[in-house]
Every structure is written in structure tokens, then in C-alpha cells.
Amino acid sequence: MREELLKLHRSDVGADEVRAVTEVLQSGWLTKGPRTRRFEAEFAARVGGGRALGVNSCTAALHLALLSAGAGPGDEVIVPAQTFAASANVVVHCGATPVFADVLPETHTIDPAHVESLITPSTRAVIPVHFAGIPAELDAIWALAERHGLFVLEDCAHAVEAEYRGRPVGVGAGDTPTRFAAYSFYATKNLVCGEGGMLCCRDLADHDRATVMGLHGMSANAWKRYSGADGAGGGFNLYDIIAAGYKYNMFDLQAALGLVQLAKLDANWERRRRLVEHYDALVADIDGVTPLSYPEHVKPAHHLYIVRLDADRVGEAAGGEGGWHVSPGRDRVINGLRARNVESYVHYVCLTATEFYREQYGTSPADTPVAAELARRSITLPLFPDMALEDVNYVVASLKDVLAE
């Protein structure tokens, strides 16, 4: 038995990050400024192009993308049912209607065939989510977008390092209908800023609109106003308000962390890859437990390690008010692991089964049966860069013990 809890995630934050943040504190410039601009440029280069805008969360990036594209009342946006709530909530915030697509059972990514069946004359966009860092089947999504005149907003919250057919996911993947890509730097992500996100735009006009909407609708941001960056010789510049914008900007303390983390990205991915391979080899010996699948044409980001319990291990859904989330077998395993000092979790509840979307949009888990079933059968196990192979051994041994009880 471990004496200390093995956490689901632990960030790789050390002396370099402390030094970078200290330098910002001593610089006298704490909000969005030169480090944020440098981080935007280096991040855009890392993910293969586009114009990057640092923001305070991936949620803000998703929202700004839809606002920049003019999505609003009367529009429908297709979102997978198995994702974090933010992917769908931002559609609501724009006044548009979220329409939920089912997911593929092997990867938990959006099912292009179901997407096609949901397209109507009101459909404006598709938001494929690269779930757990596994790229969605973009060729099929792009083909549908081209055929129906839609734009694609890739939710890359889990997928900074991910590649699809040899190219980074997001707006850098050639001439495709992907117009925007949104990234997360939350405390549990592969690249950590504590909080933070990035919006990458294919077109300059979209980037300019997002920049204005992301900082109160001002015609000149704080960096330009106070540094003289948009005036000859640093002269005085008066701003105007040209839209009812939001307070979504990233600031230099976040960007300082991001720049250090960006330099660690490949090494930390390699560490997680080795851990995932070790997990997969051990889990293969457990009857009734299956890990996610990784198609040959993708490079996964290995953000989460998820296993699925066979249906006969989790019990029947209770149905009714909130009962669709109930999974006695899954919850017993999570509690059993916790009793052995292993933290585990669920990514994610099925959105068509949640109270808000059932009551406001008339959804039902029956609309997306694969996502509903996967949500009840899936468990996320610990995965982070400095995790040891012995930790993986302990997690899998504990899982076997719990299942045998």
C-alpha cells in the first residue's frame, strides 16, 4: 500500500519557471506585454502556423472564435457529446444552438457519419475535439465542411503535440476548412500556465476581430497604449470602443510560464509516451478492461490515460433525472483505487445526459448512445511526465485487485 496519494496529474514546474516568473515581477510589466507576444509567436511556430492570440483560457479561445466568425442566433454548431462542457457552452454564449454528435467507440472522438446526419441548412460549424490528445478523423470532417459550406473550429485543449497524417492539428494543416484552433494551458494540461489558452486563426481578419473582442472591444490594447508600440516614436495613442468585448487577455506572468513549458514539451511528451506504452502492455493482461486506440495515421498527445470497463462490470444506467450518469461498477473501481491511494477520475459525463442540455435543448443520452455508454464505462488513470514506471505497475496491480474483489 502506498503511503501517499498518487495524483491523477502533477505539473512539471521547477526552477526555470520560478526564475521566469520572477523576471516578469521585476520587470515592472505584469499584464499583456512583450512576453505574451513572444509566446504567441513561438507557439504559432510550434503548432505549424496561423496567427496566435494568447487568452485566459481555452474557453475564451473557443468563444472568441465563434464570435469572430459571426456565429449567433439561428445558427447550429455541431459538438461531440463526450467532451468538457466548455466546448458546448460557448455555442450557447453566442446565442447559437449546440447540436450533439456521437463519438467513435475506439477513440472517443467525434463520429463523422453522425455529424453528416445532423447537418441542416442552419448548420454553421463543427467543433471536433481531439479527445485525450487523439486527433479526430479530420479528413472526413473537412470533406463534410467543404461540401456544406461550414467552418471547422478544432478544440485542441488536449492536443498541443498531436499530429494528424504527419502534420500538427489545428490551422497549420494545409488548405483545409479549419478556420480556428483553441488550446488550453490549464494546470492539468501538457503545457501549463496555471490558467490560460491560445486561439490560432488561419486569417488575419479573424485574428484582428478576436483581438478586439478579447479586450473590451478596444481599438488599441494596453501594450500599444502604454508602450507606444502603435505610434511613431512612442507617441500618445487614444483608444476607442468599437464593440462590446470581453476581458479575455493573457498576461505576461502566464506567458513566462508558457515559454519555459514550450521548451519542455517534446521531452515531456516522450516521457508520457513511454508510460502509456507500459500501461498498455500491462492492461492487455486484464480481462474486461480496454485502453483507448491510437490510429496509425495520428500522433497522439497522450494527455490522458483512459481505460474502459466492459459493460457487464458497470451495471445498468438508472435513467430518469440524473440517473444516466450512474455507474455502480465504475464508481466502485474509482473508490477502490482511492482506498489504495490511487487517484482516478471520469472524462467526461455525456453532455446529452446533463440537466441543462436536457431541459433547455431537449437532449437525451439516447441521441448519442455511444458517448453515453463510454461515459459510464471509462476511468482516467494517473499520467504525468515525472511519473515512474513503478507507479504504473502499482496502478495496474491496484486495478486488478479492485476488479477481483
Side-chain angles (χ1 to χ4, degrees), residues 70-328:
D75 293 329
E76 295 176 348
V77 178
I78 298 176
V79 183
Q82 191 176 26
T83 182
F84 188 55
S87 305
N89 289 352
V90 293
V91 180
V92 178
H93 297 331
C94 291
T97 300
V99 176
F100 292 101
D102 215 342
V103 298
L104 298 172
E106 298 85 7
T107 61
H108 300 215
T109 58
I110 196 167
D111 182 349
H114 194 218
V115 170
E116 185 170 20
S117 73
L118 297 172
I119 294 173
T120 73
S122 297
T123 306
R124 185 76 185 280
V126 182
I127 304 180
V129 177
H130 303 310
F131 181 85
I134 303 174
E137 287 301 333
L138 291 172
D139 281 346
I141 296 296
W142 287 332
L144 291 173
E146 292 274 23
R147 192 179 312 142
H148 296 278
L150 314 177
F151 72 86
V152 175
L153 161 55
E154 293 182 35
D155 185 333
C156 304
H158 295 177
V160 174
E161 311 96 325
E163 296 180 2
Y164 181 78
R165 301 197 185 280
R167 306 179 76 166
V169 297
V171 299
D175 186 17
T176 71
T178 292
R179 185 171 172 180
F180 305 96
Y183 300 82
S184 175
F185 309 136
Y186 180 64
T188 61
K189 294 301 189 287
N190 293 359
L191 192 161
V192 172
C193 293
E195 292 278 3
M198 194 75 74
L199 173 63
C200 288
C201 306
R202 180 180 296 280
D203 297 324
L204 177 60
D206 283 332
H207 177 269
D208 288 348
R209 282 190 292 270
T211 301
V212 169
M213 292 302 294
L215 196 60
H216 301 294
M218 290 192 297
S219 59
N221 63 30
W223 169 242
K224 291 182 178 180
R225 295 199 312 277
Y226 295 119
S227 70
D230 66 345
F236 173 75
N237 297 283
L238 185 64
Y239 70 91
D240 196 1
I241 299 295
I242 59 178
Y246 299 82
K247 185 69 166 67
Y248 280 166
N249 62 290
M250 177 178 279
F251 51 91
D252 272 19
L253 286 170
Q254 293 168 302
L257 288 171
L259 286 164
V260 177
Q261 289 276 302
L262 195 59
K264 296 180 174 182
L265 203 57
D266 290 330
N268 281 342
W269 177 86
E270 182 60 33
R271 294 186 184 101
R272 289 195 311 277
R273 182 194 64 79
R274 291 197 296 267
L275 292 166
V276 167
E277 288 183 351
H278 193 53
Y279 259 130
D280 283 349
L282 296 178
V283 168
D285 293 332
I286 307 178
D287 290 335
V289 177
T290 309
L292 297 180
S293 298
Y294 305 109
E296 291 185 0
H297 57 277
V298 308
K299 172 188 172 182
H302 295 309
H303 173 55
L304 301 172
Y305 189 80
I306 294 175
V307 295
R308 297 183 297 265
L309 305 177
D310 280 1
D312 59 359
R313 291 187 179 273
V314 299
E316 294 293 328
E321 290 294 326
W324 295 106
H325 302 302
V326 174
S327 179

Side-chain angles (χ1 to χ4, degrees), residues 307-311 314 327 330 372-379:
V307 295
R308 297 183 297 265
L309 305 177
D310 280 1
V314 299
S327 179
R330 178 204 63 201
E373 184 66 9
L374 291 176
R376 297 182 61 253
R377 290 168 48 196
S378 300
I379 298 174

Side-chain angles (χ1 to χ4, degrees), residues 373-395:
E373 184 66 9
L374 291 176
R376 297 182 61 253
R377 290 168 48 196
S378 300
I379 298 174
T380 306
L381 301 176
L383 180 67
F384 48 88
D386 64 349
M387 188 175 173
L389 293 179
E390 291 77 12
D391 294 329
V392 175
N393 294 342
Y394 182 79
V395 172

